[in-house]
Amino acid sequence: MIPGPFTYHRPATIADAVKLLSTLGDEARPLAGGHSLVPMMKLRLASPDHLVDLHGIDGLKGIRREGDRIVIGAMITQHQLLGSDDIARSLPILHEAALLIADPQVRYRGTIGGNVANGDPGNDMPALMLTLGAGYRLEGPNGGRYIAASEFYQGAYFTALEPGEILTAISIPAPAAGHGYAYEKLKRKVGDYATAAAAVMLTMAGGKVTSCAIGLTNLHETPLLAVEAAKAVIGTSLDPATLKKAAAAASAIMSPAADARGPVEYRKHVGGIMLTRALTRAAARAK
Ligand SMILES: Cc1cc2nc3c(=O)[nH]c(=O)nc-3n(C[C@H](O)[C@H](O)[C@H](O)COP(=O)(O)OP(=O)(O)OC[C@H]3O[C@@H](n4cnc5c(N)ncnc54)[C@H](O)[C@@H]3O)c2cc1C
């Protein structure tokens, strides 16, 4: 289908983008890679009167170190993430997850900022950001602010972004050296969104888990941080009984929608399997 009519704007600075969005009001939307927004427009599920294209803004680009944090500009594409040696070295889980998003065509255009700002429970990056303890830098008509990813998601397609605000960068604490990691995603076919997915970051010493964070994708209307499941594995050697306990604790907070990817019970079941696999693989990678 063909989208409805809209006026196209291409600001050159973050300040100009914010000004445009706050002046044009509810009928204006930021445009990043367009790989979530444009399909919605084609289906007439979104009909913004104005698109504010963020591609001309240098301040939204780049991957850099700021002390012990890695800061990724909102307009970095999934393809650029995959091409970054720094990301592959210090945040290998981000590399692993980006490779599981859609296909190369989508990854060439789709941005990390668009992925996390979209609020779609099917997007892979949000649960990963919760697992990594990331935060988002936002810029709006009242200035800049920082919000933890864990406080950003409020419902399906409903986030803490205020009118006129854009997400400018994602700030991630560098994980401990020797950490174990895994992102396990079940999808019906290459290029599909997750039926269920689990992200695990952990550290181990003497064969036992010393710290752990777990995120879940597409198993609720928002990404989930599975706090009790993570607690269940700390201090253990991830024996079969512990893995079962962790999967049960994670399952208790899942409430996926029944849709073309399967009924609720099936999606919760495979969510537990994704978590078990991710924990096992993360432990095998920990040094
Ligand atoms: C066939 C197909 C398969 C896909 N499969 C997957 C998948 O498996 N996993 C996955 O995670 N994603 C998947 N996607 C979605 C893809 O990753 C999108 O690129 C991503 O969800 C949105 O990023 P974008 O840069 O394209 O944003 P856009 O589509 O441009 O924007 C998405 C939304 O976020 C807002 N927005 C964008 N940038 C900002 C910003 N900086 N600040 C504030 N608001 C902003 C827009 O206004 C819009 O509402 C798929 C897409 C397609 C077409």
Side-chain angles (χ1 to χ4, degrees):
M1 272 179 63
I2 297 171
F6 57 86
T7 306
Y8 175 82
H9 306 264
R10 193 177 166 100
T13 64
I14 294 173
D16 286 348
V18 167
K19 199 168 166 189
L20 271 168
L21 287 165
S22 30
T23 314
L24 296 168
D26 280 354
E27 300 312 320
R29 294 276 283 274
L31 173 70
H35 271 58
S36 287
L37 182 54
V38 174
M40 299 277 270
M41 290 169 64
K42 287 186 167 181
L43 293 168
R44 302 285 173 121
L45 294 172
S47 304
D49 291 338
H50 299 270
L51 286 185
V52 178
D53 188 350
L54 305 179
H55 280 91
I57 305 176
D58 286 342
L60 298 177
K61 296 174 187 165
I63 300 173
R64 58 190 178 277
R65 286 273 175 167
E66 287 183 10
D68 60 355
R69 300 184 78 89
I70 299 146
V71 177
I72 305 173
M75 287 302 284
I76 287 292
T77 63
Q78 310 291 353
H79 174 73
Q80 287 169 323
L81 276 183
L82 288 170
S84 161
D85 288 341
D86 195 14
I87 297 293
R89 233 185 354 260
S90 45
L91 283 170
I93 194 171
L94 194 49
H95 185 98
E96 179 161 288
L99 207 48
L100 292 172
I101 291 180
D103 49 44
Q105 285 95 327
V106 173
R107 296 197 293 262
Y108 278 130
R109 296 293 299 175
T111 66
I112 188 162
N115 197 297
V116 301
N118 195 24
D120 181 344
N123 281 146
D124 288 291
M125 288 294 161
L128 193 53
M129 294 305 143
L130 301 190
T131 311
L132 289 166
Y136 302 152
R137 292 184 185 167
L138 311 178
E139 198 67 37
N142 300 319
R145 66 184 175 112
Y146 177 87
I147 183 166
S150 56
E151 288 169 19
F152 187 73
Y153 300 98
Q154 301 178 346
Y157 298 99
F158 187 52
T159 68
L161 275 172
E162 297 286 347
E165 264 185 339
I166 57 172
L167 189 149
T168 58
I170 292 150
S171 169
I172 305 172
H179 72 277
Y181 65 92
Y183 189 67
E184 283 285 343
K185 174 175 174 177
L186 178 73
K187 46 188 176 174
R188 295 171 301 177
K189 59 180 176 60
V190 170
D192 194 19
Y193 288 88
T195 299
V200 169
M201 292 284 289
L202 52 71
T203 52
M204 296 192 74
K208 300 227 160 131
V209 178
T210 47
S211 71
C212 181
I214 296 170
L216 301 170
T217 297
N218 223 4
L219 289 163
H220 187 68
E221 63 172 5
T222 60
L224 291 172
L225 198 56
V227 177
E228 293 305 318
K231 273 190 201 156
V233 304
I234 293 173
T236 77
S237 56
L238 284 173
D239 52 281
T242 301
L243 288 172
K244 222 168 155 186
K245 209 168 147 191
S251 186
I253 59 166
M254 297 174 191
S255 53
D259 61 15
R261 290 182 180 82
V264 171
E265 282 313 313
Y266 168 74
R267 293 185 65 184
K268 288 174 72 165
H269 178 69
V270 294
I273 294 174
M274 291 305 104
L275 175 55
T276 305
R277 287 184 187 169
L279 282 166
T280 308
R281 210 151 55 82
R285 281 168 161 168
K287 294 190 186 86

